[in-house]
C-alpha cells in the first residue's frame, strides 16, 4: 500500500523551501557556458517548468522557455560541445 514519505506536519516547510528555491533560481541570469541537465540551464528549465505547473504562475514557464532557448542556442553556436548526459547535449 502506498504511503506518503512526508508527514503532514513537514509538508508546509518543504513547500516553503521549494518556493524559496524557485524564487532564487528565477533571479539567476542564464549561464551561457552551462547547458547540461544535471549542472546547467536545462536542469533549471525543467525545474522551472514543473514548478510553474504546480503553482500556476506563468512567469516560471516563461523563464523555463528562455533557459531552454539559451541551451539550444548554445548548442548551435558552440563547436566544442560535450555529449555527456550530465553536462552535454545528451542531457537536453
Amino acid at each position: 500500500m502506498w504511503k506518503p514519505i512526508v508527514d503532514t506536519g513537514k509538508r508546509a516547510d518543504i513547500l516553503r523551501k521549494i518556493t524559496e528555491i524557485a524564487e532564487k533560481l528565477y533571479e539567476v541570469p542564464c549561464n551561457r557556458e552551462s547547458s547540461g541537465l544535471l549542472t546547467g540551464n536545462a536542469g533549471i528549465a525543467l525545474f522551472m517548468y514543473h514548478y510553474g505547473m504546480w503553482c500556476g504562475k506563468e512567469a516560471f514557464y516563461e523563464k523555463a522557455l528562455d533557459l531552454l532557448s539559451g541551451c539550444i542556442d548554445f548548442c548551435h553556436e558552440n563547436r566544442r560541445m560535450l555529449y555527456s548526459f550530465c553536462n552535454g547535449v545528451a542531457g537536453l
Side-chain angles (χ1 to χ4, degrees):
M1 176 178 215
W2 180 83
K3 288 184 177 183
I5 59 172
V6 176
D7 63 22
T8 309
K10 293 181 181 179
R11 189 175 196 281
D13 291 336
I14 292 170
L15 296 178
R16 193 171 20 260
K17 185 53 87 173
I18 290 171
T19 299
E20 180 183 331
I21 291 167
E23 290 171 354
K24 294 287 183 188
L25 286 174
Y26 186 84
E27 297 170 3
V28 174
C30 177
N31 179 0
R32 301 269 307 152
E33 298 300 316
S34 181
S35 62
L37 182 63
L38 297 179
T39 61
N41 292 332
I44 296 171
L46 186 63
F47 174 80
M48 288 290 167
Y49 171 78
H50 284 287
Y51 182 77
M53 277 184 50
W54 175 73
C55 72
K57 294 181 182 176
E58 194 167 323
F60 290 96
Y61 293 123
E62 293 173 10
K63 179 73 170 185
L65 289 175
D66 287 344
L67 288 166
L68 193 55
S69 178
C71 291
I72 293 168
D73 289 344
F74 177 77
C75 288
H76 179 70
E77 296 166 1
N78 192 2
R79 296 177 190 261
R80 281 189 14 214
M81 289 192 304
L82 299 172
Y83 294 98
S84 68
F85 175 75
C86 68
N87 208 20
V89 176
L92 296 177

